Amino acid sequence: MTDLQITSLANPRVKALVALRRRRARDAAGHTLIEGLAETSLAVAAGVRPHALYLCEELMAAPQDAVPLAAAVRAAGGEVVRLSRAVFDKVAYREGPDGVLAVAAQPGRALADLTLPAAPLLLLSQGVEKPGNLGAMLRTADAAGVAAVIAADPVTDWGNPNVIRASKGTVYAVPVAAATTAETLGWLADRGIALVATTPDTDLRHTDVDLTGPVAVAVGTEQTGLDAVALDAATHRVRIPMAGRADSLNVATAAAIVLYEAVRQRLAARAATSPG
């Protein structure tokens, strides 16, 4: 079957693709955009089945690199569409596009649908606004083996194309959910998961807390951090030691530091109990 070709900027699909940059349109359609060969390939490898894959060979450094991706999308029942450069430039949402764009279901699931291992390590982000920070946290979560990332009272949706881009597609590799703060705290309490809240207003260092059990590391908004409700519900409030003049770290950096302390502790505990 020959792939559909679109060369006209007036094609209705062009308008529909541009509309998916807006949250209202994404929520109405249940779809979002994944842009980039690496990002789309990672999402497909994680089990995502794009409804459509849009390609522009004029923008590709090596068009043959997209052949396996196109084959995988077709095999999963998706459509492959070829776009002219003018059309792709219109629908692309990032600078320097590489000629690969997909439409897929929005990431995310309900809290009740999360499947957790024993002693899960979770990341909770409350009210984080910047897509770049959410994306960076997702990349860390993927690398650290985090069981799930939960957005409490989210300002930015998981399907925001810039979150997907900043996460390098790992928003589809790491289970993600969104809920209110109250729902999230109740869900954690029901499962006996300790809440470790990051804040500068404590003397307890993040290295002085046992992070080997069921734990949710919590970070808050870029400007004010976690709110009083989350702090009051915390099992532990921890701070990251800082020797400089600044009184806080970037939220994604703070999350990475505490998560990798949990990884360090878990590896050490495993090594201590392994035979030999």
Side-chain angles (χ1 to χ4, degrees):
M1 180 183 295
T2 303
D3 295 338
L4 176 67
Q5 306 272 341
I6 298 179
T7 59
S8 172
L9 294 174
N11 189 290
R13 287 206 188 202
V14 176
K15 182 178 179 180
L17 289 170
V18 172
L20 288 177
R21 298 177 189 175
R22 301 191 301 272
R23 183 171 185 173
R24 181 177 297 179
R26 293 195 297 273
D27 289 344
H31 299 157
T32 190
L33 302 171
I34 310 173
E35 185 170 349
L37 176 61
E39 292 84 345
T40 308
S41 297
L42 189 151
V44 170
V48 174
R49 295 185 175 186
H51 300 283
L53 177 68
Y54 296 88
L55 302 175
C56 177
E57 292 189 354
E58 292 178 69
L59 290 167
M60 296 180 188
Q64 67 273 16
D65 290 347
V67 171
L69 175 61
V73 170
R74 291 191 191 96
E79 183 181 20
V80 177
V81 182
R82 307 284 172 171
L83 303 182
S84 67
R85 179 161 188 166
V87 172
F88 200 96
D89 285 341
K90 177 71 173 179
V91 301
Y93 61 83
R94 70 183 194 183
E95 295 182 4
D98 66 1
V100 177
L101 180 74
V103 174
Q106 294 217 71
R109 62 191 74 180
L111 286 175
D113 294 332
L114 291 174
T115 301
L116 302 179
L121 175 61
L122 307 176
L123 175 61
L124 167 61
S125 68
Q126 185 191 50
V128 174
E129 298 180 12
K130 296 180 180 179
N133 284 333
L134 285 171
M137 286 190 284
L138 282 163
R139 292 175 70 177
T140 297
D142 177 61
V146 168
V149 180
I150 302 167
D153 295 329
V155 177
T156 301
D157 60 308
W158 288 125
N160 185 305
N162 289 310
V163 171
I164 297 172
R165 177 183 67 175
S167 78
K168 288 293 184 182
T170 55
V171 68
Y172 285 105
V174 179
V176 295
T180 66
T181 294
E183 290 168 340
T184 302
L185 295 177
W187 182 84
L188 293 173
D190 289 345
R191 286 157 181 76
I193 299 173
L195 182 64
V196 177
T198 57
T199 174
D201 300 321
T202 181
D203 292 328
L204 184 63
R205 297 188 179 193
H206 71 292
T207 52
D208 294 333
V209 172
D210 183 358
L211 301 174
T212 60
V215 166
V217 174
V219 295
T221 67
E222 289 88 347
Q223 295 298 318
T224 58
L226 292 163
D227 68 12
V229 173
L231 290 171
D232 288 344
T235 309
H236 303 288
R237 301 184 188 186
V238 300
R239 68 178 178 88
I240 299 168
M242 299 181 62
R245 294 179 181 274
D247 61 358
S248 65
L249 292 167
N250 170 272
V251 63
T253 301
I257 290 171
V258 182
L259 287 176
Y260 266 93
E261 171 60 17
V263 171
R264 185 195 67 79
Q265 290 186 19
R266 288 164 185 246
L267 289 175
R270 196 177 306 158
T273 58
S274 62

